Amino acid sequence: MPALAAKDSAVDARPVVTDGNLVTYNVLQATPAQDEATGPAIETEIEVAKASPPIGPPKVINKVNSDRKVVCLTFDDAGSPAHVRKLMDVLDQHDVKATFFVLGTFAANKPEIMREMLEKGHEVANHSYNHKNYAKMSATDIAKDMKLADDAFKRATGQSFVPYLRPPYGAYNQNTLTAMRQMGYSRLVMWSVDTLDWKVKTPGEMMGHVKGQTGEGGIILMHLLDNKPTLNALPGMITWLKQNGYEIVTLTEMIALENS
Ligand SMILES: [Zn+2]
């Protein structure tokens, strides 16, 4: 399964702002060796799961196979309300809808931001409760964590996170897929364009990654974190994408355009 070898440069580790407190996560990286080791087991699990309708195995995607020139902007984790609103203002100004993979803690602490995301027409999805590494947890514990996050989101908005999960650090294995299936999640969403916005210093560096990696059906990874070049890069990124013929849509809209 090619998605398992997704560029988990996905280290996805950097300071994360949650409710005003700075939390530092350790750098974690799925090595190619780990991916190869878990790959066959996951394939077996999926084969077994195929025999158990109606809830099929979740599909791992890092892009959507579409002939249309569409891309999806995704933002992970959490940020201060002021910063997240500034990001949403830029999206509004360009009439663009994004997909936010938020932490359950953010939904619990800032429910008004969750509601604003939905009111503005953006999509919101599960990124765990508090950024634990799902590749190091049992399926039962992962399912509990996913539910904890979803419960917080439901309390904030009355809606449920399903059907998408982006695991913290982009780290997952068979246990993650098993838990997703139990919880009714259909897609594990990685990315095809890593802006490295948590690491780079300038909007120009982010744009270099976008220009080099973007293609049809691309999923662009960014973060909601404060004090990153994301906010400054976003207007130019949207303009560049549109000038190059890309339509920016939500993940659900892009999946609807998937080639059959
Ligand atoms: Zn994250």
Side-chain angles (χ1 to χ4, degrees):
M1 179 181 292
L4 292 175
K7 54 171 73 64
D8 301 1
S9 60
V11 182
D12 193 32
R14 71 250 151 254
V16 172
V17 177
T18 49
D19 198 23
N21 297 314
L22 269 181
V23 180
T24 303
Y25 293 105
N26 294 325
V27 172
L28 299 162
Q29 187 159 12
T31 65
Q34 284 172 330
D35 284 344
E36 282 161 18
T38 54
I42 292 168
E43 294 285 7
T44 303
E45 170 68 12
I46 288 173
E47 289 305 316
V48 170
K50 274 179 183 167
S52 310
I55 301 174
K59 189 173 173 183
V60 178
I61 59 169
N62 57 9
K63 67 186 286 294
V64 169
N65 292 318
S66 178
D67 294 333
R68 291 268 295 267
K69 237 179 155 180
V70 286
V71 292
C72 169
L73 303 183
T74 67
F75 297 83
D76 287 9
D77 299 336
S80 72
H83 180 72
V84 175
R85 285 185 175 122
K86 282 181 192 167
L87 287 169
M88 289 198 287
D89 284 347
V90 173
L91 296 170
D92 276 352
Q93 286 156 15
H94 292 83
D95 195 23
V96 166
K97 309 302 181 199
T99 302
F100 297 107
F101 285 90
V102 298
L103 298 175
T105 47
F106 188 59
N109 294 329
K110 305 295 174 195
E112 70 279 10
I113 302 293
M114 296 293 100
R115 291 192 288 273
E116 285 176 33
M117 287 174 172
L118 295 181
E119 284 161 10
K120 289 175 177 292
H122 301 300
E123 192 159 58
V124 183
N126 199 335
H127 189 49
S128 85
Y129 188 70
N130 196 20
H131 223 271
K132 286 189 184 129
N133 185 349
Y134 280 6
K136 296 183 174 178
M137 294 164 63
S138 69
T140 302
D141 286 345
I142 294 167
K144 282 181 187 168
D145 189 83
M146 290 172 68
K147 184 174 186 312
L148 203 58
D150 193 47
D151 286 347
F153 186 60
K154 273 185 197 157
R155 279 195 298 276
T157 68
Q159 296 187 27
S160 183
F161 268 143
V162 290
Y164 309 127
L165 171 77
R166 175 174 282 161
Y169 314 102
Y172 67 94
N173 59 23
Q174 181 180 336
N175 287 348
T176 314
L177 298 175
T178 300
M180 286 178 68
R181 186 167 160 233
Q182 286 172 358
M183 301 299 290
Y185 284 68
S186 62
R187 305 262 180 165
L188 189 152
V189 182
M190 302 289 283
W191 53 87
S192 60
V193 183
D194 194 345
T195 65
L196 296 176
D197 61 340
W198 55 272
K199 187 164 98 174
V200 300
K201 301 284 187 247
T202 66
E205 289 176 81
M206 280 180 67
M207 278 309 300
H209 295 305
V210 171
K211 290 177 181 175
Q213 298 170 27
T214 299
E216 288 84 349
I219 299 174
I220 300 176
L221 171 66
M222 290 177 276
H223 294 83
L224 293 169
L225 311 172
D226 292 29
N227 304 318
K228 299 296 169 191
T230 319
L231 180 62
N232 291 330
L234 195 54
M237 184 186 304
I238 292 170
T239 300
W240 183 87
L241 289 167
K242 288 183 173 176
Q243 283 176 344
N244 284 272
Y246 287 102
E247 189 182 352
I248 303 170
V249 299
T250 65
L251 184 61
T252 294
E253 288 169 336
M254 201 158 75
I255 287 172
L257 295 170
E258 192 166 27
N259 295 338
S260 54

